[in-house]
Amino acid sequence: MPHPCLSCGACCAQYRVAFHWMESDEAGEGGVPHALTRRLDPHRLCMQGTHSDPVRCVALDADIGVYSRCTILPHRPSVCREVDASWEYGQASPQCDRARAGHGLTPLTPADWRWRDDADNDGPQPDDSGNTPSPPSPIAA
């Protein structure tokens, strides 16, 4: 089972994504692509499509509730990095729940994260790639 956000995308089609202009690639390498933003005020930019009706981030490639991906994931704004999916870290996220409800999706529950339980690389369980950890080799004397 994949991460629930990969079949959602609701937050990217629900909220304005505003951030300080210093996060743009015009201010430094590796920043948010400036070409995908618009000026919100003297200090802030927003992602194109998120200050409109309907809201839909220009960087979103999705069929909401079916598949979702951010086309600028490693360069996304800090506000996007700060949105937690409900129960990903043990508690509900009202922001996630509202976005999902706005698109007719049910809220996430702790059960949506059980797929991670068996992906512990520190025990005898297989890791995410299906490989079982090998026991350590004996040290030659």
PDB file of all heavy atoms in Angstrom, residues 91-115:
ATOM      1  N   GLN A  91      -1.552  11.763  15.033  1.00  0.00           N
ATOM      2  CA  GLN A  91      -2.676  12.631  15.377  1.00  0.00           C
ATOM      3  C   GLN A  91      -3.368  13.118  14.112  1.00  0.00           C
ATOM      4  O   GLN A  91      -2.773  13.135  13.039  1.00  0.00           O
ATOM      5  CB  GLN A  91      -2.222  13.809  16.229  1.00  0.00           C
ATOM      6  CG  GLN A  91      -1.248  14.733  15.542  1.00  0.00           C
ATOM      7  CD  GLN A  91      -0.702  15.786  16.488  1.00  0.00           C
ATOM      8  OE1 GLN A  91      -0.762  15.639  17.699  1.00  0.00           O
ATOM      9  NE2 GLN A  91      -0.170  16.851  15.949  1.00  0.00           N
ATOM     10  N   ALA A  92      -4.631  13.504  14.281  1.00  0.00           N
ATOM     11  CA  ALA A  92      -5.404  14.021  13.151  1.00  0.00           C
ATOM     12  C   ALA A  92      -4.840  15.364  12.717  1.00  0.00           C
ATOM     13  O   ALA A  92      -4.267  16.106  13.514  1.00  0.00           O
ATOM     14  CB  ALA A  92      -6.869  14.169  13.544  1.00  0.00           C
ATOM     15  N   SER A  93      -4.994  15.693  11.451  1.00  0.00           N
ATOM     16  CA  SER A  93      -4.605  16.986  10.904  1.00  0.00           C
ATOM     17  C   SER A  93      -5.870  17.659  10.382  1.00  0.00           C
ATOM     18  O   SER A  93      -6.403  17.246   9.349  1.00  0.00           O
ATOM     19  CB  SER A  93      -3.603  16.806   9.760  1.00  0.00           C
ATOM     20  OG  SER A  93      -3.474  18.007   9.023  1.00  0.00           O
ATOM     21  N   PRO A  94      -6.357  18.682  11.083  1.00  0.00           N
ATOM     22  CA  PRO A  94      -7.569  19.356  10.611  1.00  0.00           C
ATOM     23  C   PRO A  94      -7.425  19.888   9.182  1.00  0.00           C
ATOM     24  O   PRO A  94      -8.374  19.869   8.404  1.00  0.00           O
ATOM     25  CB  PRO A  94      -7.760  20.502  11.613  1.00  0.00           C
ATOM     26  CG  PRO A  94      -7.061  20.044  12.852  1.00  0.00           C
ATOM     27  CD  PRO A  94      -5.890  19.222  12.362  1.00  0.00           C
ATOM     28  N   GLN A  95      -6.229  20.342   8.816  1.00  0.00           N
ATOM     29  CA  GLN A  95      -5.991  20.852   7.468  1.00  0.00           C
ATOM     30  C   GLN A  95      -6.178  19.741   6.429  1.00  0.00           C
ATOM     31  O   GLN A  95      -6.826  19.940   5.404  1.00  0.00           O
ATOM     32  CB  GLN A  95      -4.577  21.437   7.405  1.00  0.00           C
ATOM     33  CG  GLN A  95      -4.303  22.247   6.188  1.00  0.00           C
ATOM     34  CD  GLN A  95      -2.938  22.909   6.245  1.00  0.00           C
ATOM     35  OE1 GLN A  95      -2.065  22.515   7.023  1.00  0.00           O
ATOM     36  NE2 GLN A  95      -2.737  23.915   5.424  1.00  0.00           N
ATOM     37  N   CYS A  96      -5.634  18.577   6.691  1.00  0.00           N
ATOM     38  CA  CYS A  96      -5.795  17.426   5.799  1.00  0.00           C
ATOM     39  C   CYS A  96      -7.261  17.006   5.744  1.00  0.00           C
ATOM     40  O   CYS A  96      -7.818  16.798   4.661  1.00  0.00           O
ATOM     41  CB  CYS A  96      -4.918  16.275   6.287  1.00  0.00           C
ATOM     42  SG  CYS A  96      -5.141  14.710   5.403  1.00  0.00           S
ATOM     43  N   ASP A  97      -7.890  16.891   6.901  1.00  0.00           N
ATOM     44  CA  ASP A  97      -9.292  16.456   6.954  1.00  0.00           C
ATOM     45  C   ASP A  97     -10.203  17.400   6.174  1.00  0.00           C
ATOM     46  O   ASP A  97     -11.083  16.956   5.434  1.00  0.00           O
ATOM     47  CB  ASP A  97      -9.772  16.349   8.404  1.00  0.00           C
ATOM     48  CG  ASP A  97      -9.089  15.228   9.176  1.00  0.00           C
ATOM     49  OD1 ASP A  97      -8.428  14.367   8.554  1.00  0.00           O
ATOM     50  OD2 ASP A  97      -9.216  15.226  10.418  1.00  0.00           O
ATOM     51  N   ARG A  98     -10.004  18.741   6.324  1.00  0.00           N
ATOM     52  CA  ARG A  98     -10.833  19.718   5.595  1.00  0.00           C
ATOM     53  C   ARG A  98     -10.626  19.614   4.091  1.00  0.00           C
ATOM     54  O   ARG A  98     -11.582  19.684   3.313  1.00  0.00           O
ATOM     55  CB  ARG A  98     -10.514  21.145   6.050  1.00  0.00           C
ATOM     56  CG  ARG A  98     -11.207  21.554   7.326  1.00  0.00           C
ATOM     57  CD  ARG A  98     -11.097  23.059   7.569  1.00  0.00           C
ATOM     58  NE  ARG A  98      -9.727  23.553   7.546  1.00  0.00           N
ATOM     59  CZ  ARG A  98      -8.912  23.580   8.606  1.00  0.00           C
ATOM     60  NH1 ARG A  98      -9.333  23.148   9.777  1.00  0.00           N
ATOM     61  NH2 ARG A  98      -7.692  24.054   8.492  1.00  0.00           N
ATOM     62  N   ALA A  99      -9.372  19.455   3.673  1.00  0.00           N
ATOM     63  CA  ALA A  99      -9.082  19.353   2.236  1.00  0.00           C
ATOM     64  C   ALA A  99      -9.734  18.107   1.650  1.00  0.00           C
ATOM     65  O   ALA A  99     -10.358  18.160   0.586  1.00  0.00           O
ATOM     66  CB  ALA A  99      -7.575  19.337   1.991  1.00  0.00           C
ATOM     67  N   ARG A 100      -9.593  16.987   2.342  1.00  0.00           N
ATOM     68  CA  ARG A 100     -10.196  15.745   1.850  1.00  0.00           C
ATOM     69  C   ARG A 100     -11.717  15.871   1.791  1.00  0.00           C
ATOM     70  O   ARG A 100     -12.339  15.470   0.806  1.00  0.00           O
ATOM     71  CB  ARG A 100      -9.760  14.563   2.716  1.00  0.00           C
ATOM     72  CG  ARG A 100      -8.281  14.203   2.505  1.00  0.00           C
ATOM     73  CD  ARG A 100      -7.852  13.044   3.374  1.00  0.00           C
ATOM     74  NE  ARG A 100      -8.555  11.815   3.052  1.00  0.00           N
ATOM     75  CZ  ARG A 100      -8.210  10.956   2.092  1.00  0.00           C
ATOM     76  NH1 ARG A 100      -7.145  11.200   1.345  1.00  0.00           N
ATOM     77  NH2 ARG A 100      -8.909   9.854   1.890  1.00  0.00           N
ATOM     78  N   ALA A 101     -12.323  16.436   2.834  1.00  0.00           N
ATOM     79  CA  ALA A 101     -13.782  16.602   2.857  1.00  0.00           C
ATOM     80  C   ALA A 101     -14.235  17.506   1.717  1.00  0.00           C
ATOM     81  O   ALA A 101     -15.281  17.257   1.096  1.00  0.00           O
ATOM     82  CB  ALA A 101     -14.223  17.172   4.200  1.00  0.00           C
ATOM     83  N   GLY A 102     -13.452  18.535   1.422  1.00  0.00           N
ATOM     84  CA  GLY A 102     -13.781  19.454   0.332  1.00  0.00           C
ATOM     85  C   GLY A 102     -13.821  18.788  -1.031  1.00  0.00           C
ATOM     86  O   GLY A 102     -14.401  19.320  -1.974  1.00  0.00           O
ATOM     87  N   HIS A 103     -13.204  17.630  -1.138  1.00  0.00           N
ATOM     88  CA  HIS A 103     -13.194  16.881  -2.399  1.00  0.00           C
ATOM     89  C   HIS A 103     -13.963  15.577  -2.282  1.00  0.00           C
ATOM     90  O   HIS A 103     -13.812  14.674  -3.117  1.00  0.00           O
ATOM     91  CB  HIS A 103     -11.746  16.640  -2.843  1.00  0.00           C
ATOM     92  CG  HIS A 103     -11.085  17.884  -3.300  1.00  0.00           C
ATOM     93  ND1 HIS A 103     -11.213  18.378  -4.571  1.00  0.00           N
ATOM     94  CD2 HIS A 103     -10.324  18.792  -2.618  1.00  0.00           C
ATOM     95  CE1 HIS A 103     -10.549  19.512  -4.672  1.00  0.00           C
ATOM     96  NE2 HIS A 103     -10.008  19.781  -3.503  1.00  0.00           N
ATOM     97  N   GLY A 104     -14.777  15.462  -1.234  1.00  0.00           N
ATOM     98  CA  GLY A 104     -15.625  14.283  -1.064  1.00  0.00           C
ATOM     99  C   GLY A 104     -14.886  13.027  -0.632  1.00  0.00           C
ATOM    100  O   GLY A 104     -15.406  11.922  -0.799  1.00  0.00           O
ATOM    101  N   LEU A 105     -13.693  13.185  -0.068  1.00  0.00           N
ATOM    102  CA  LEU A 105     -12.913  12.033   0.388  1.00  0.00           C
ATOM    103  C   LEU A 105     -13.087  11.865   1.893  1.00  0.00           C
ATOM    104  O   LEU A 105     -13.230  12.850   2.618  1.00  0.00           O
ATOM    105  CB  LEU A 105     -11.427  12.232   0.070  1.00  0.00           C
ATOM    106  CG  LEU A 105     -11.085  12.451  -1.406  1.00  0.00           C
ATOM    107  CD1 LEU A 105      -9.612  12.821  -1.558  1.00  0.00           C
ATOM    108  CD2 LEU A 105     -11.434  11.233  -2.224  1.00  0.00           C
ATOM    109  N   THR A 106     -13.060  10.632   2.358  1.00  0.00           N
ATOM    110  CA  THR A 106     -13.168  10.381   3.792  1.00  0.00           C
ATOM    111  C   THR A 106     -11.855  10.753   4.472  1.00  0.00           C
ATOM    112  O   THR A 106     -10.783  10.685   3.853  1.00  0.00           O
ATOM    113  CB  THR A 106     -13.488   8.902   4.080  1.00  0.00           C
ATOM    114  OG1 THR A 106     -12.453   8.095   3.522  1.00  0.00           O
ATOM    115  CG2 THR A 106     -14.831   8.506   3.494  1.00  0.00           C
ATOM    116  N   PRO A 107     -11.918  11.132   5.742  1.00  0.00           N
ATOM    117  CA  PRO A 107     -10.679  11.449   6.467  1.00  0.00           C
ATOM    118  C   PRO A 107      -9.798  10.209   6.604  1.00  0.00           C
ATOM    119  O   PRO A 107     -10.298   9.081   6.652  1.00  0.00           O
ATOM    120  CB  PRO A 107     -11.155  11.898   7.844  1.00  0.00           C
ATOM    121  CG  PRO A 107     -12.618  12.111   7.746  1.00  0.00           C
ATOM    122  CD  PRO A 107     -13.105  11.321   6.570  1.00  0.00           C
ATOM    123  N   LEU A 108      -8.501  10.437   6.652  1.00  0.00           N
ATOM    124  CA  LEU A 108      -7.574   9.336   6.918  1.00  0.00           C
ATOM    125  C   LEU A 108      -7.721   8.900   8.367  1.00  0.00           C
ATOM    126  O   LEU A 108      -8.123   9.680   9.224  1.00  0.00           O
ATOM    127  CB  LEU A 108      -6.136   9.776   6.650  1.00  0.00           C
ATOM    128  CG  LEU A 108      -5.804  10.145   5.209  1.00  0.00           C
ATOM    129  CD1 LEU A 108      -4.381  10.700   5.112  1.00  0.00           C
ATOM    130  CD2 LEU A 108      -5.988   8.965   4.289  1.00  0.00           C
ATOM    131  N   THR A 109      -7.392   7.649   8.632  1.00  0.00           N
ATOM    132  CA  THR A 109      -7.452   7.095   9.981  1.00  0.00           C
ATOM    133  C   THR A 109      -6.113   6.426  10.289  1.00  0.00           C
ATOM    134  O   THR A 109      -5.297   6.215   9.380  1.00  0.00           O
ATOM    135  CB  THR A 109      -8.569   6.031  10.093  1.00  0.00           C
ATOM    136  OG1 THR A 109      -8.183   4.890   9.314  1.00  0.00           O
ATOM    137  CG2 THR A 109      -9.915   6.567   9.617  1.00  0.00           C
ATOM    138  N   PRO A 110      -5.883   6.038  11.532  1.00  0.00           N
ATOM    139  CA  PRO A 110      -4.646   5.311  11.844  1.00  0.00           C
ATOM    140  C   PRO A 110      -4.479   4.052  10.991  1.00  0.00           C
ATOM    141  O   PRO A 110      -3.351   3.664  10.665  1.00  0.00           O
ATOM    142  CB  PRO A 110      -4.798   4.972  13.326  1.00  0.00           C
ATOM    143  CG  PRO A 110      -5.650   6.079  13.866  1.00  0.00           C
ATOM    144  CD  PRO A 110      -6.644   6.370  12.752  1.00  0.00           C
ATOM    145  N   ALA A 111      -5.567   3.439  10.570  1.00  0.00           N
ATOM    146  CA  ALA A 111      -5.486   2.229   9.742  1.00  0.00           C
ATOM    147  C   ALA A 111      -4.832   2.498   8.388  1.00  0.00           C
ATOM    148  O   ALA A 111      -4.250   1.591   7.785  1.00  0.00           O
ATOM    149  CB  ALA A 111      -6.876   1.634   9.544  1.00  0.00           C
ATOM    150  N   ASP A 112      -4.888   3.739   7.914  1.00  0.00           N
ATOM    151  CA  ASP A 112      -4.274   4.076   6.629  1.00  0.00           C
ATOM    152  C   ASP A 112      -2.750   4.044   6.686  1.00  0.00           C
ATOM    153  O   ASP A 112      -2.093   4.126   5.656  1.00  0.00           O
ATOM    154  CB  ASP A 112      -4.737   5.462   6.167  1.00  0.00           C
ATOM    155  CG  ASP A 112      -6.195   5.479   5.794  1.00  0.00           C
ATOM    156  OD1 ASP A 112      -6.596   4.662   4.938  1.00  0.00           O
ATOM    157  OD2 ASP A 112      -6.945   6.292   6.369  1.00  0.00           O
ATOM    158  N   TRP A 113      -2.190   3.897   7.876  1.00  0.00           N
ATOM    159  CA  TRP A 113      -0.740   3.906   8.051  1.00  0.00           C
ATOM    160  C   TRP A 113      -0.204   2.550   8.470  1.00  0.00           C
ATOM    161  O   TRP A 113       0.993   2.396   8.679  1.00  0.00           O
ATOM    162  CB  TRP A 113      -0.350   4.977   9.074  1.00  0.00           C
ATOM    163  CG  TRP A 113      -0.819   6.295   8.586  1.00  0.00           C
ATOM    164  CD1 TRP A 113      -1.975   6.947   8.922  1.00  0.00           C
ATOM    165  CD2 TRP A 113      -0.198   7.100   7.589  1.00  0.00           C
ATOM    166  NE1 TRP A 113      -2.100   8.110   8.209  1.00  0.00           N
ATOM    167  CE2 TRP A 113      -1.013   8.227   7.383  1.00  0.00           C
ATOM    168  CE3 TRP A 113       0.980   6.973   6.855  1.00  0.00           C
ATOM    169  CZ2 TRP A 113      -0.691   9.229   6.472  1.00  0.00           C
ATOM    170  CZ3 TRP A 113       1.302   7.970   5.949  1.00  0.00           C
ATOM    171  CH2 TRP A 113       0.471   9.075   5.766  1.00  0.00           C
ATOM    172  N   ARG A 114      -1.038   1.545   8.562  1.00  0.00           N
ATOM    173  CA  ARG A 114      -0.568   0.223   8.999  1.00  0.00           C
ATOM    174  C   ARG A 114       0.421  -0.404   8.032  1.00  0.00           C
ATOM    175  O   ARG A 114       1.212  -1.247   8.425  1.00  0.00           O
ATOM    176  CB  ARG A 114      -1.772  -0.702   9.223  1.00  0.00           C
ATOM    177  CG  ARG A 114      -2.559  -0.263  10.424  1.00  0.00           C
ATOM    178  CD  ARG A 114      -3.241  -1.406  11.126  1.00  0.00           C
ATOM    179  NE  ARG A 114      -3.897  -0.902  12.312  1.00  0.00           N
ATOM    180  CZ  ARG A 114      -5.196  -0.679  12.397  1.00  0.00           C
ATOM    181  NH1 ARG A 114      -5.992  -0.964  11.397  1.00  0.00           N
ATOM    182  NH2 ARG A 114      -5.714  -0.197  13.508  1.00  0.00           N
ATOM    183  N   TRP A 115       0.396  -0.005   6.779  1.00  0.00           N
ATOM    184  CA  TRP A 115       1.338  -0.542   5.797  1.00  0.00           C
ATOM    185  C   TRP A 115       2.779  -0.292   6.216  1.00  0.00           C
ATOM    186  O   TRP A 115       3.679  -1.017   5.818  1.00  0.00           O
ATOM    187  CB  TRP A 115       1.084   0.063   4.411  1.00  0.00           C
ATOM    188  CG  TRP A 115       1.205   1.556   4.363  1.00  0.00           C
ATOM    189  CD1 TRP A 115       0.220   2.471   4.615  1.00  0.00           C
ATOM    190  CD2 TRP A 115       2.373   2.320   4.060  1.00  0.00           C
ATOM    191  NE1 TRP A 115       0.698   3.761   4.489  1.00  0.00           N
ATOM    192  CE2 TRP A 115       2.022   3.691   4.147  1.00  0.00           C
ATOM    193  CE3 TRP A 115       3.678   1.991   3.732  1.00  0.00           C
ATOM    194  CZ2 TRP A 115       2.924   4.719   3.905  1.00  0.00           C
ATOM    195  CZ3 TRP A 115       4.587   3.017   3.495  1.00  0.00           C
ATOM    196  CH2 TRP A 115       4.199   4.364   3.577  1.00  0.00           C
TER     197      TRP A 115
END
